[in-house]
Amino acid sequence: MHMATTNRRKNADLRAAYRAAKQHYAAIGVDTEHAIARALQVPISLHCWQADDVGGFEVREGAVDGGGILATGSHPGRARNGEEMRRDLETVMRLAPGVHRVNLHALYAETEGRAVPRDELRTQHFERWIAWARARKIGLDFNTTFFAHPLANDGLTLSHPDRSVREFWIRHAVACRRIATDMGKALRAPVILNHWLPDGRKDSPADRWSPRRRLVEALDRVLARHAGVDPRWCRDAVEGKLFGIGSEDYVVGSNEFYAAYALTRNVRLCLDMGHFHPTETIADKISALLQFHEGLLLHVSRPIRWDSDHVVIFNDDLRAVFQELVRGNALDRVALATDYFDASINRIAAYVIGARATRKALLAALLEPTAAIRQLEAEGRGAEKLAWMEEAKVGPLGAVWDELCRRARAPAGADWIAAVRDYEENVLLRRR
Ligand code: RNT
Ligand code: ZN
C-alpha cells in the first residue's frame, strides 16, 4: 500500500516537497542546489563482482580455494559472461543516480574460452570492457587478482617463500599495470589499480617478519618502472586487512604495513570499511591519514561481526565517513569504490541499494550545516552543537534525495524496486 502510493507520486508532488525542503535548508545556511550538483558529480566506482559472486570468467586449469573471499547464497540470475555482466551494470546505472565508474578485476578477462595464465593477461582480453566503457563514457578501475588460483592455495602469493611463486605474481601485477595504463589512455581517464592479496597465516605464525620483508621487495618490483606502464594513467593502490578466512591470526599486508608502504612509495592506501576490528570504523582514520597521504581509496562495504561484505546501507558508519570527507573538504582526495557481495538476494537490487545508499550518505553530509555547528563548537557551546547535529539527522533529506534522482533521470523514492523485479523476471530468471 505504502509502496504503491510512492510509485504513484506525481512529479509535481516531488517538486513541491523539494521546494519546501530547499527553504528548510536555506534557513540553516545550506544550499541544496549546490549539494545536489556536488553529490551527483562525485564518481562511485561500481565493483563488477557483485554480479557473479566474485566468480570471474577465467578458464581454470586446476582446483582452487576461494582465497579468503566468500559469497554466500544461491539466488538465481548470476551473470555468466561479460555480456550479461555489462547488461546488469547498465541496469544498475539506470537505477542509481550520479556519475559511476566500473571497477574490474583481472578475473574478468574475456579470453574466448582459452585458458590464459594470469601473468600473460593483456589489454586485448579487456577490449570489450574498454569499448563498452568508451561508448558509455564511463571510467574504469582495475584490480590484480591474487586469489582463486592454484598458486594462491598456500595462502601466500607475493610473500611466498618460493621465489618462482613470487615471480609469477609479480609478472601478473605488472601485466595488470600495463592493462590499466592502456585502459586509462583509451578512456582518457586515469585508472586506479588496486592490489589486495590474501597472504597470511591461520594460526600462530612463528615468523611474522620474513613474509613482510618479502612483500616489500615484491611490491617494489611491481611498482618499479616498466615498459608500457605509465603512472599518469595507472594509479596504484594497496589494500590492507586485519584478518581473512584462513588468515585469522596474521595478515602480511596489514593496515599498518600498507599505510607505511603507501606513504613511502607514494601510492594510494585503500581503506576497506570491513577490514578492521568489529567496532573500529574508518571515519576517524581519514583526517589522520590525510595529514600525510595525498589521497586514499575507500572500499565502501559493510561488516557484520566480521568482514562479511554485506550490502552497503545508509547507516551511521557510512554517514560518518561522508561527514568526514565533507567536513574536511577531502572529496577530491578520496576515490570511492563499492566492495561487497551478497548472493542470497537479487544481485541487481543489492547493487542499487548500495550505490544509492552511498550517494545518499554523500548528499546527507553535504546538507549538514557544517559552518554553523563548527562555530558552536569553537564557542564552547557543546550542547547546542550536539543538538543541531541531532536535528540535522531528520531534516527533509528524502525530498532533496528525490530531487537529485529526478535530475539524474533515475527513479525517485522506491520506484526503482519495480524495475528490478521486471529485470529479474525478464532477464535474470531466464539465465538457467
Ligand atoms: C578482500 C578485499 C578486496 C576484495 C576484492 C574482490 O577482503 O576487500 O577488495 O573484496 O578485491
Ligand atoms: Zn576491499
Side-chain angles (χ1 to χ4, degrees):
M1 155 59 185
H2 170 74
M3 282 194 300
T5 322
T6 311
N7 286 342
R8 268 187 269 108
R9 264 190 316 184
K10 300 259 162 55
N11 225 3
D13 295 343
L14 292 178
R15 305 292 312 262
Y18 175 63
R19 275 195 300 277
K22 187 174 172 176
Q23 277 179 16
H24 167 98
Y25 284 108
I28 54 172
V30 173
D31 178 356
T32 53
E33 293 290 313
H34 167 81
I36 290 173
R38 187 76 185 99
L40 282 172
Q41 272 163 15
V42 173
I44 296 173
S45 195
L46 296 171
H47 60 313
C48 74
W49 50 93
Q50 163 61 38
D52 79 331
D53 322 329
V54 214
F57 309 145
E58 199 169 50
V59 182
R60 296 222 168 100
E61 290 174 311
V64 298
D65 76 14
I69 301 260
L70 178 68
T72 53
S74 55
H75 198 84
R78 186 173 88 77
R80 296 163 302 182
N81 53 51
E83 249 162 68
E84 289 181 351
M85 187 170 272
R86 286 186 282 274
R87 187 166 180 193
D88 289 355
L89 288 163
E90 284 168 19
T91 305
V92 173
M93 288 188 274
R94 273 195 290 112
L95 301 178
V99 175
H100 294 107
R101 302 166 60 82
V102 167
N103 198 7
L104 300 174
H105 237 281
L107 210 55
Y108 295 89
E110 289 171 277
T111 60
E112 318 297 332
R114 281 188 311 118
V116 177
R118 292 213 191 146
D119 57 341
E120 290 174 24
L121 285 172
R122 299 291 175 262
T123 305
Q124 68 190 76
H125 304 123
F126 293 89
E127 283 304 349
R128 292 198 199 153
W129 282 112
I130 295 170
W132 175 76
R134 192 192 284 122
R136 276 157 194 79
K137 296 187 171 41
I138 48 183
L140 291 178
D141 293 305
F142 198 38
N143 294 261
T144 40
T145 310
F146 290 102
F147 53 85
H149 190 280
L151 288 182
N153 283 349
D154 287 346
L156 296 171
T157 63
L158 282 179
S159 71
H160 201 286
D162 181 337
R163 187 163 182 276
S164 67
V165 175
R166 296 200 301 279
E167 292 297 328
F168 171 83
W169 289 113
I170 291 170
R171 288 195 303 276
H172 168 63
V174 174
C176 288
R177 294 187 76 210
R178 294 200 172 102
I179 295 165
T181 299
D182 291 343
M183 283 176 173
K185 276 187 191 163
L187 301 170
R188 313 308 299 169
V191 168
I192 294 186
L193 174 63
N194 184 50
H195 307 282
W196 171 75
L197 33 122
D199 297 34
R201 296 281 191 205
K202 186 182 180 76
D203 204 3
S204 308
D207 182 4
R208 292 173 183 267
W209 296 72
S210 307
R212 287 192 168 134
R213 184 177 40 73
R214 289 193 294 264
L215 182 54
V216 172
E217 282 171 16
L219 282 171
D220 283 351
R221 293 266 311 283
V222 168
L223 296 171
R225 282 167 182 263
H226 297 280
V229 175
D230 185 340
R232 279 175 304 175
W233 301 110
C234 168
R235 310 229 167 120
D236 295 271
V238 286
E239 178 181 7
K241 190 163 177 169
L242 176 68
F243 78 96
I245 302 169
S247 63
E248 287 83 357
D249 198 321
Y250 169 65
V251 169
V252 183
S254 60
N255 185 52
E256 290 74 10
F257 177 93
Y258 281 128
Y261 186 84
L263 194 61
T264 50
R265 269 63 175 180
N266 197 26
V267 294
R268 267 175 198 249
L269 176 66
C270 170
L271 297 181
D272 183 306
M273 292 177 71
H275 287 191
F276 296 88
H277 285 281
T279 61
E280 183 181 6
T281 58
I282 67 161
D284 179 60
K285 301 181 191 298
I286 296 169
S287 59
L289 291 164
L290 285 181
Q291 303 298 327
F292 307 100
H293 293 253
E294 254 175 56
L296 292 171
L297 168 61
L298 296 191
H299 270 187
V300 182
S301 190
R302 178 165 58 107
I304 292 192
R305 309 199 192 288
W306 66 291
D307 176 35
S308 54
D309 293 286
H310 276 65
V311 177
V312 167
I313 56 174
F314 184 68
N315 63 8
D316 287 349
D317 282 356
L318 189 68
R319 297 189 64 176
V321 165
F322 283 101
Q323 282 165 351
E324 278 305 302
L325 295 178
V326 170
R327 290 175 190 167
N329 200 17
L331 282 171
D332 292 333
R333 296 171 67 193
V334 171
L336 302 170
T338 48
D339 180 15
Y340 53 82
F341 21 95
D342 189 337
S344 74
I345 57 174
N346 179 300
R347 293 174 185 77
I348 308 305
Y351 264 126
V352 178
I353 291 166
R356 287 174 71 103
T358 304
R359 202 170 299 280
K360 204 182 293 164
L362 167 60
L363 177 69
L366 288 162
L367 292 173
E368 182 189 75
T370 307
I373 58 177
R374 281 206 171 147
Q375 182 67 29
L376 292 169
E377 181 165 275
E379 290 170 10
R381 293 153 71 187
E384 281 173 69
K385 176 205 67 182
L386 194 57
W388 274 108
M389 284 174 156
E390 280 298 286
E391 292 306 322
K393 287 181 183 170
V394 292
L397 165 66
V400 184
W401 170 250
D402 285 343
E403 177 65 9
L404 176 151
C405 290
R406 207 185 59 79
R407 289 191 191 179
R409 294 177 202 288
D415 290 357
W416 64 271
I417 299 171
V420 171
R421 204 183 308 122
D422 284 352
Y423 190 76
E424 172 150 279
E425 260 163 45
N426 297 318
V427 180
L428 300 180
L429 291 179
R430 299 192 178 169
R431 288 178 188 169
R432 286 181 197 264

